């Protein structure tokens, strides 16, 4: 096949000095070549060396002639030469790209890349060894840097591994501690709750009733916090949120119970419901109760106190949709980004501040149901919507 | 465990007695390519690579075991056991001279004679003892090994034997004879050049020949003479050959001295 692009012959492009008129001066080529030359007799003594190598090393030719190559090497180089290079040369008849440092007359080290070849007679006996030296200062520096970089990255990796391991151990311990703590906190809380309920049944004045109701609210809030902490710790411990689903029992009573509890605890707040559930929902009922409790708790905390909180639940189009909305200040764009992350807390009165786990746990529960939890917030209302598929 | 595969053991020749060749620090069993074939007509010759060198099984390289010459000597004894060797001739170059001595002490009867080529019982100077190197110089060598790229790209298995006279194959095999995993090379260098086996010399009961080169910077004549002086009944032959590898540079001289001894 012919190339479509034709190259002009070199002679057409360059002003002509006829090639035959330039004669390479071989003697000069040897002496002043851009590389060092050195020849050894079979016994290992230098019998010829070029000017370039003399210039580089600072020796006069007569100072090198009759010497061994060792004369130009430091001890390490000599040992390496004797144990590696000399055998190699003898065995394969040459060596290529060997790194050697020459020692100059002044004692400085001159990094070199060295090739060598044996010249042998017809019977294979060595006549001489020709060695070529190329300066390799920059290259050696670069290689050194590569090695250093390798060593550095190795040690950094080792350090990172070690710190990761210790970090993991610490975090595991911390989460185990939280799990145990959450568990231990539930029991005394149950006693307080039971005590308050007994007292509520007895006749009492208005102040006493108010205090007992406040106690109920607090207990409820605290129980919710503890649940969230436990779930969070468990999730981090690798178990995730586990579900025990049940499609045969209605979800509505659970939702109603959560609403009733909060109404009892906060009688001055209005919670409106709109339940239109016509199909069975295969879900973990107590988990959905926890999700609703977290969403309602959030709405009551952050919503405008004078306005009602609305909870809607309906089945439609093969989906179960549950939303909680409240009026009030919209959620800032910045807060929006972190809303479902653990330990994120919006700006609110200190006494109402929780752990910042409620929405995180709610979104984890949504995920466990292969559902989603999304939020829309503007000046009219803030609405959290949980959406899950009904198919099982 | 397959000792033969671990140490890439190669057996040639025929003969009642065996002759075991051990290579030193730097290369592999190819070191003996000009010497070993000559003895095939009268000996069963055994070549092997120390673990970490040549075509040995690198996965068997255990830094603890090979943290002293004794680990290498154990391998040598195991090779002897696997091949059922008795009264063999041991030929050890450089550091393998001491490895052979240690093996002869561990397994009396394994060897009937020892040929030590360029031996040194200790490389580092110690008081009146002149090993030829200072501790600092040995450290410099270790650093130098790190800086040299022979072996860097070297996960490839080294050395296919027998193509010294076929340089057209050289491209692929360039420098492969002395290619070693850089970490192993460094470790072996450290173990070799910091070893001290002076106290073992007097324990040797096997007839021993020391072959000493002229002008050997790794093991000087003084060092060779020390070895000979301390091994009871041993002989010393000073070769005209120069350098540290007479088995490559002057095989005929080495062969002649060995023949006269065995």
């Amino acid at each position: 096949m012919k190339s479509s692009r034709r190259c002009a012959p070199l002679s057409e492009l360059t002003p002509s000095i006829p090639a035959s008129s330039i004669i390479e001066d071989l003697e000069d080529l040897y002496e002043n070549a851009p590389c060092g030359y050195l020849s050894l007799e079979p016994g290992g003594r230098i019998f010829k060396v070029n000017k370039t190598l003399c210039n580089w090393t600072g020796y006069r030719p007569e100072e090198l002639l009759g010497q061994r190559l060792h004369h130009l090497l430091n001890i390490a180089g000599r040992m390496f030469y004797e144990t590696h290079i000399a055998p190699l040369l003898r065995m394969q008849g040459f060596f290529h790209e060997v790194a050697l440092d020459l020692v100059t007359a002044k004692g400085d080290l001159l990094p070199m890349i060295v090739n060598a070849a044996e010249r042998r007679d017809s019977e294979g006996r060595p006549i001489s060894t020709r060695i070529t030296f190329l300066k390799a200062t920059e290259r050696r520096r670069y290689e050194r840097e590569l090695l250093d970089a390798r060593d550095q990255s190795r040690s950094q990796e080792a350090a990172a591994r070690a710190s990761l391991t210790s970090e993991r151990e610490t975090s595991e311990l911390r989460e185990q501690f939280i799990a145990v703590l959450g568990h231990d906190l539930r029991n005394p809380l149950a006693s307080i709750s039971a005590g308050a309920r007994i007292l509520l049944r007895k006749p009492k004045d208005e102040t006493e009733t108010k205090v007992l109701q406040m106690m109920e609210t607090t207990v409820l809030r605290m129980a919710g916090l503890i649940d969230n902490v436990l779930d969070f710790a468990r999730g981090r411990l690798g178990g995730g949120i586990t579900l025990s689903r049940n499609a045969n029992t209605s979800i509505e009573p659970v939702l109603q119970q959560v609403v009733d509890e909060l109404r009892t605890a906060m009688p001055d707040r209005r919670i409106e419901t709109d339940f239109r559930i016509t199909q069975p929902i295969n879900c973990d009922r107590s988990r959905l109760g926890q999700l609703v409790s977290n969403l309602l708790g959030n709405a009551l905390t952050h919503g405008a106190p004078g306005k009602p909180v609305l909870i809607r639940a309906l089945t439609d189009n093969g989906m179960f949709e549950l939303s909680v909305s409240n009026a009030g200040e919209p959620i800032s764009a910045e807060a929006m980004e972190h809303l479902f992350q653990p330990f994120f807390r919006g700006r609110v009165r200190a006494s109402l501040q929780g752990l910042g786990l409620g929405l995180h746990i709610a979104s984890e529960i949504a995920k466990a149901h292969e559902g989603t939890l999304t939020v829309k917030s503007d000046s009219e209302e803030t609405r959290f919507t949980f959406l899950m598929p009904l198919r099982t | 465990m397959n000792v033969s595969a671990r140490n890439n053991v190669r057996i040639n020749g025929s003969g009642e007695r065996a002759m075991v060749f051990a290579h030193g620090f730097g290369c592999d069993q190819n070191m003996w390519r000009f010497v070993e074939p000559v003895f095939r007509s009268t000996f069963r010759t055994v070549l092997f690579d120390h673990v970490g060198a040549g075509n040995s099984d690198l996965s068997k390289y255990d830094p603890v075991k090979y943290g002293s010459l004794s680990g290498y000597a154990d391998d040598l004894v195991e090779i002897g056991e696997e091949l059922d060797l008795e009264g063999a001739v041991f030929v050890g170059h450089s550091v393998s001279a001491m490895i052979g001595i240690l093996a002869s002490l561990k397994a009396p009867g394994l060897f009937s004679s020892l040929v030590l080529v360029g031996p040194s019982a200790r490389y580092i100077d110690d008081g009146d003892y002149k090993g030829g190197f200072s501790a600092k110089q040995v450290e410099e060598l270790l650093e130098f090994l790190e800086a040299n790229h022979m072996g860097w790209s070297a996960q490839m298995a080294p050395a296919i034997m027998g193509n010294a006279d076929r340089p057209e194959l050289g491209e692929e095999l360039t420098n492969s004879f002395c290619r070693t995993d850089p970490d192993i090379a460094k470790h072996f260098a450290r173990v070799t050049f910091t070893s001290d086996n002076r106290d073992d010399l007097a324990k040797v009961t096997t007839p021993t020949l020391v072959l000493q080169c002229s002008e050997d910077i790794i093991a000087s004549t003084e060092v060779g003479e020390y070895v000979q002086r301390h091994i009871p009944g041993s002989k010393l032959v000073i070769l005209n050959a120069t350098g540290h590898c007479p088995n490559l540079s002057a095989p005929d001289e080495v062969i002649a001295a060995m023949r006269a001894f065995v």
Side-chain angles (χ1 to χ4, degrees), chain B residues 208-212 221 224-225 228 234-238:
Chain B
T208 299
L209 169 68
V210 174
L211 291 184
Q212 176 64 47
T221 305
E225 284 170 351
Q228 187 272 328
S234 64
K235 286 188 190 136
L236 175 71
V237 171
I238 306 268

Side-chain angles (χ1 to χ4, degrees), chain A residues 230-281:
Chain A
L230 278 184
D231 282 334
F232 180 71
R234 257 187 234 121
R236 282 302 177 89
L237 287 172
I241 286 194
T242 51
L243 300 180
S244 82
R245 293 194 188 218
N246 180 357
N248 300 322
T249 325
S250 174
I251 184 72
E252 206 170 312
V254 178
L255 304 180
Q256 195 59 55
Q257 190 195 334
V258 174
V259 171
D260 288 346
E261 272 177 11
L262 285 165
R263 278 180 180 153
T264 313
M266 302 180 171
D268 51 338
R269 297 297 298 267
R270 248 173 55 223
I271 303 174
E272 291 171 3
T273 60
D274 176 10
F275 297 148
R276 280 171 285 162
I277 298 165
T278 55
Q279 283 168 277
I281 300 162

Side-chain angles (χ1 to χ4, degrees), chain A residues 64-327:
Chain A
L64 292 176
L65 296 177
Q67 295 285 355
R68 295 186 172 280
L69 184 59
H70 294 163
H71 194 70
L72 288 167
L73 303 175
N74 61 8
I75 294 273
R78 288 176 199 173
M79 290 168 90
F80 186 70
Y81 189 86
E82 282 300 320
T83 53
H84 290 72
I85 311 297
L88 191 62
L89 186 60
R90 220 25 229 122
M91 280 194 279
Q92 63 181 18
F94 67 95
F95 62 74
H96 286 168
E97 293 185 66
V98 166
L100 276 178
D101 293 338
L102 292 188
V103 184
T104 68
K106 281 187 191 160
D108 298 329
L109 284 186
L110 215 54
M112 293 279 172
I113 293 293
V114 185
N115 285 2
E118 271 189 349
R119 217 177 141 212
R120 296 180 180 176
D121 65 16
S122 56
E123 280 162 49
R125 285 178 303 231
I127 299 170
S128 67
T129 302
R130 291 164 168 168
I131 311 181
T132 307
F133 298 83
L134 281 170
K135 270 192 179 179
T137 311
E138 286 300 321
R139 175 176 160 162
R140 195 73 62 75
R141 192 174 296 146
Y142 176 62
E143 288 167 352
R144 192 68 249 169
E145 281 166 9
L146 281 179
L147 279 182
D148 288 348
R150 183 202 64 188
D151 292 347
Q152 205 184 346
S153 85
R154 274 184 189 168
S155 64
Q156 278 171 352
E157 192 194 329
R161 265 178 209 285
S163 95
L164 183 66
T165 308
S166 109
E167 206 51 51
R168 273 197 190 133
E169 283 165 3
T170 314
S171 115
E172 204 163 295
L173 273 178
R174 190 183 298 131
E175 281 165 8
Q176 273 170 5
F177 170 76
I178 293 171
V180 171
L181 181 70
H183 211 263
D184 287 354
L185 286 175
R186 270 181 170 162
N187 292 336
L189 202 58
S191 318
I192 296 172
S193 176
R197 243 176 262 135
I198 290 168
L199 288 177
L200 263 172
R201 275 188 231 126
K202 294 187 173 169
K204 60 207 132 301
D205 65 27
E206 202 178 315
T207 318
E208 284 167 346
T209 307
K210 221 171 183 175
V211 168
L212 286 169
Q213 273 172 348
M214 260 171 62
M215 280 174 70
E216 276 283 278
T217 319
T218 311
V219 164
L220 208 61
R221 208 163 75 83
M222 209 162 156
L225 288 176
I226 292 169
D227 282 349
N228 290 344
V229 164
L230 278 184
D231 282 334
F232 180 71
R234 257 187 234 121
R236 282 302 177 89
L237 287 172
I241 286 194
T242 51
L243 300 180
S244 82
R245 293 194 188 218
N246 180 357
N248 300 322
T249 325
S250 174
I251 184 72
E252 206 170 312
V254 178
L255 304 180
Q256 195 59 55
Q257 190 195 334
V258 174
V259 171
D260 288 346
E261 272 177 11
L262 285 165
R263 278 180 180 153
T264 313
M266 302 180 171
D268 51 338
R269 297 297 298 267
R270 248 173 55 223
I271 303 174
E272 291 171 3
T273 60
D274 176 10
F275 297 148
R276 280 171 285 162
I277 298 165
T278 55
Q279 283 168 277
I281 300 162
N282 185 27
C283 64
D284 183 320
R285 291 160 72 247
S286 70
R287 283 301 185 187
L288 274 201
Q290 191 184 359
L291 178 143
V292 170
S293 165
N294 286 355
L295 291 183
L296 280 177
N298 185 66
L300 292 166
T301 306
H302 297 280
K307 300 280 176 64
V309 167
L310 172 64
I311 171 167
R312 263 197 219 97
L314 57 106
T315 49
D316 188 29
N317 268 338
M319 302 293 280
F320 171 53
E321 186 183 326
L322 186 148
S323 66
V324 173
S325 49
N326 62 269

Side-chain angles (χ1 to χ4, degrees), chain B residues 24-121:
Chain B
F25 165 73
C27 293
D28 60 24
Q29 58 180 270
N30 279 292
M31 278 291 215
W32 298 108
R33 63 192 315 163
F34 302 134
V35 174
E36 174 268 336
V38 175
F39 289 92
R40 287 182 190 174
S41 57
T42 41
F43 286 89
R44 192 172 155 223
T45 62
V46 178
L47 290 165
F48 71 98
D49 294 332
H50 287 302
V51 171
N55 274 327
S56 66
D57 184 351
L58 293 191
S59 70
K60 296 287 187 297
Y61 191 81
D62 171 359
V64 177
K65 173 178 176 182
Y66 300 112
S68 76
L69 297 184
S70 174
Y72 291 98
D74 288 340
D75 284 359
L76 184 52
V77 171
E78 281 169 18
I79 290 169
E81 283 166 359
E82 179 156 295
L83 301 182
D84 232 352
L85 300 185
E86 223 185 280
V89 176
F90 173 82
V91 188
H93 177 229
S94 195
V95 67
S96 275
M98 290 305 130
I99 292 170
I101 284 179
L102 293 176
S104 82
L105 299 177
K106 283 170 191 266
L110 174 58
F111 300 127
S112 63
S113 37
L114 305 175
V115 178
L116 313 181
V117 184
S120 172

